[in-house]
Amino acid sequence: MVTHPQAFLVFSLADFQSMAAINRLLLLAIYALLSLYSSATAQSYIGVNYGEVADNLPPPDATVRLLRSTTISKVRLYGADPAIIKALAGTGISVVIGVANGDIPSLAADPAAASQWAAANVLAYLPASSISVVSVGNEVLSSGDSSLASQLLPAMQNLHSALSTAAPSVKISTVNTMAVLAQSDPPSTGAFHSDLIPGLKGILGFLNETGSPFMINPYPYFAYRSDPRPETLAFCLFQPNSGRFDGNSKINYMNMFDAQVDAVRAALDATGFPSTAIVVAETGWPYKGDDGEVGASVDNAKAFTSGLVAHLRSMAGTPRMPGRPVETYLFALYDEDLKPGPTSERSFGLFKPDLTATYDAGLFRSPSSSTPAAPSAAPKGKKGTMGWCVPRDGVSDQELQANLDYVCGAAAMDCRPIQPGGACYLPNTVRSHAAYAMNVLYQTSGRNPWNCDFRQSATLTSTNPSYEGCVYPGSQ
C-alpha cells in the first residue's frame, strides 16, 4: 500500500540512518503523489480484465498510456506478468494478480513454496506497484476437479501467511462463476449448490476473517442466450423495460446485472456471511459471434457496457446493497485471438490492438472537467414554450434508475452534470438525477412528445425545473 505523502511530514532526517532510506522515502512520496493524481480522475469501482491469450497485443507501456486516458482504475491479470506489473508502477492503477490453477497443489502442500511465490510475484514489486488482490486459481470450484477444489483453501491460507506481515493490505481470494449457485431466480432465493457448501464455508470463513472479497463472474449475456426474448434483451442491456418482480423481497428488478449480483448476495447471507463484500471479477458482452450466437453484436455490446458503466457511476448500487457501486472488472481490455471456441470467445475486447476503441463505452476521460454550456432556459418558475421532461409522481426509483441507465448509457447522452462534482449532482438522489437525464434526452431528440414517454414514467411540464447552479437544457 502506498502511504499518503502527508504522513511523511512527521519524520525528520535524523530518523533515517542512510541515504538509501532517504531515497526510498522520496520514491514513496513520488508514487503516492502520482497515485493521488490518478485517483482524482479515475473511478475506484471500474476495472478491466487484461488477458494475454493473444499474439498481437500492444506493449505494456502503450497499454498503460491507454488506461490512463480512461476512468479505469483497476486491472485484473490472470497471472503475474512482470512487464505489465512494472509498467503500472506509480500510476495509481491497482492490480489483481492471479495464481494459475496448476500452481495450487504446490502452494497448498508447502508453505515454503507459497513464500517463494509471494516473494517473486508480489513483494518484488512493492511498494512501486499497487497490488490489491491475489486471486488463487480461476473458477476452481465449478471446474469439476474435486481434488483441486480441496486444495484451494490451504493454498489461500499459505499465501496469506506469506504476505500477512510484509504486505498485510494485499488480500487473498479466488474467482467463481455463477455456476456455484444452484438457484438465482428470483434473486432473493439465491443459494449455493449443497455439495459445494462444506468446502465453500471454509473459504468464506477465510475471506470473512481476512476482510477479502468474494469474487464472482456474472454475465447477463449468457442469461439472454438461454432466454432470447426481446424483453429479456432489454432487461440485460439496461434499456427501459417493465422489470422483473421478486415476490419474496417485493423488489422490482430493472436489470439483469443487479438481479445476478443480488442473487449472490442472498446466497452469501443464507450461508451466514452477510458482511463479506462482493467483487464482480468479470462481466461483459461480445461484439461479434458466429451465426448461431444470438445477441453478439456491436450495438448490444455497446448498450450493455455503456449501460453498466452509467449504472455504476450513478452510485445506486443494487437493491440489496444500495448507495454504493459494486467493484466491477469489465471483460476485457483486448480481444484474445488465440482463444479456442466460438467467435464470441475472441470478441469481448473494449479496445483493438491499435489502441482504438471497439465502440464507445463511455470510459474515456473528458478532455475538460468543466460542464458544457446548456441550451438557454427560462428563469426558474417561468413558463417555457416547449417545456421540460420530468418524472411522473409516484414512479419508483427502480423505474427511474432504468431510465437513468438508458439515457447515460445506451443513448450516450452527456450526463456529466449529474456525476460527482457536476453542477446537478446534488441532491444525490435517483429521482433528481433521472429528471435531469430524461430531460436531456427529450431536448436532444427533437422535443417530441414521444421523446418524453419512458414507458409512461415521464411527463412534460412548463415550469422550469432548474435550481441554483443547475441549469436544465430547455428553450425560452
Side-chain angles (χ1 to χ4, degrees):
M1 176 180 288
V2 177
T3 308
H4 193 290
Q6 289 181 351
F8 297 121
L9 298 179
V10 301
F11 295 97
S12 68
L13 291 178
D15 295 314
F16 300 97
Q17 302 301 313
S18 68
M19 286 301 296
I22 297 173
N23 290 337
R24 178 177 173 82
L25 172 65
L26 292 173
L27 278 173
L28 286 169
I30 291 169
Y31 288 131
L33 288 170
L34 286 171
S35 176
L36 288 175
Y37 172 78
S38 177
S39 64
T41 48
Q43 288 161 333
S44 61
Y45 41 83
I46 297 177
V48 70
N49 287 268
Y50 188 172
E52 297 181 84
V53 187
D55 60 5
N56 60 352
L57 298 178
D61 58 340
T63 293
V64 170
R65 287 195 297 272
L66 170 64
L67 289 170
R68 297 188 73 175
S69 71
T70 72
T71 55
I72 294 168
S73 67
K74 300 173 182 292
V75 169
R76 178 187 167 216
L77 305 178
Y78 292 84
D81 188 317
I84 297 173
I85 297 173
K86 289 178 181 177
L88 289 166
T91 63
I93 298 173
S94 70
V95 189
V96 175
I97 62 174
V99 173
N101 288 5
D103 290 337
I104 291 174
S106 64
L107 299 181
D110 186 1
S115 295
Q116 291 171 2
W117 193 97
N121 296 288
V122 180
L123 299 180
Y125 303 108
L126 300 179
S129 297
S130 177
I131 298 173
S132 59
V133 178
V134 175
S135 171
V136 183
N138 188 43
E139 304 178 351
V140 173
L141 294 179
S142 53
S143 67
D145 188 336
S146 58
S147 174
L148 189 64
S150 68
Q151 298 174 86
L152 182 56
L153 178 57
M156 295 169 68
Q157 291 171 325
N158 284 343
L159 279 174
H160 174 71
S161 296
L163 292 169
S164 59
T165 299
S169 65
V170 178
K171 303 301 182 182
I172 308 295
S173 188
T174 187
V175 173
N176 304 279
T177 70
M178 290 291 286
V180 297
L181 295 185
Q183 176 72 29
S184 61
D185 186 26
S188 61
T189 63
F192 294 114
H193 280 285
S194 57
D195 59 331
L196 293 179
I197 288 180
L200 191 56
K201 276 193 171 181
I203 291 173
L204 292 174
F206 168 83
L207 297 179
N208 191 61
E209 180 182 346
T210 60
S212 301
F214 183 78
M215 304 180 79
I216 191 77
N217 296 345
Y219 275 88
Y221 167 68
F222 294 116
Y224 170 64
R225 283 187 58 180
S226 66
D227 180 19
R229 295 177 296 161
E231 55 267 37
T232 303
L233 184 61
F235 187 65
C236 289
L237 298 183
F238 298 90
Q239 293 173 340
N241 66 93
S242 57
R244 295 188 177 181
F245 187 69
D246 185 331
N248 298 317
S249 64
K250 309 305 179 187
I251 294 170
N252 191 38
Y253 281 88
M254 302 306 298
N255 66 79
M256 182 65 78
F257 179 83
D258 280 357
Q260 290 182 326
V261 173
D262 272 3
V264 177
R265 177 77 273 156
L268 289 170
D269 292 354
T271 314
F273 296 93
S275 62
T276 299
I278 295 173
V279 166
V280 173
E282 283 183 26
T283 190
W285 197 287
Y287 66 86
K288 183 171 60 175
D290 295 323
D291 289 342
E293 293 191 279
V294 60
S297 71
V298 172
D299 287 345
N300 287 346
K302 177 180 178 179
F304 173 77
T305 308
S306 60
L308 174 58
V309 169
H311 183 49
L312 295 172
R313 286 176 178 159
S314 75
M315 310 296 282
T318 72
R320 288 182 73 110
M321 297 180 290
R324 56 184 176 86
V326 178
E327 183 178 317
T328 299
Y329 291 78
L330 305 173
F331 188 85
L333 185 59
Y334 302 115
D335 288 343
E336 295 179 85
D337 65 334
L338 299 182
K339 272 191 170 182
T343 297
S344 62
E345 283 294 306
R346 297 177 293 280
S347 306
F348 278 85
L350 297 169
F351 299 95
K352 300 175 183 178
D354 65 2
L355 306 179
T356 60
T358 306
Y359 51 83
D360 183 6
L363 290 168
F364 283 108
R365 290 180 184 169
S366 169
S368 172
S369 60
S370 60
T371 302
S376 59
K380 184 179 179 181
K382 300 297 183 182
K383 306 297 182 181
T385 56
M386 298 301 295
W388 292 264
C389 181
V390 296
R392 290 183 182 275
D393 291 338
V395 177
S396 70
D397 278 359
Q398 287 92 341
E399 291 176 274
L400 293 178
Q401 184 65 55
N403 295 345
L404 181 60
D405 293 341
Y406 173 70
V407 173
C408 300
M413 296 290 107
D414 183 2
C415 292
R416 285 177 294 175
I418 54 175
Q419 293 174 9
C424 301
Y425 176 67
L426 297 176
N428 180 20
T429 65
V430 173
R431 187 173 186 86
S432 177
H433 289 180
Y436 183 90
M438 291 157 66
N439 182 64
V440 167
L441 186 140
Y442 167 71
Q443 302 291 343
T444 305
S445 301
R447 300 172 183 156
N448 301 300
W450 55 86
N451 299 132
C452 185
D453 181 73
F454 293 93
R455 297 183 70 90
Q456 300 182 347
S457 64
T459 186
L460 287 170
T461 179
S462 59
T463 301
N464 188 350
S466 299
Y467 58 92
E468 297 177 358
C470 176
V471 179
Y472 273 54
S475 60
Q476 295 286 358

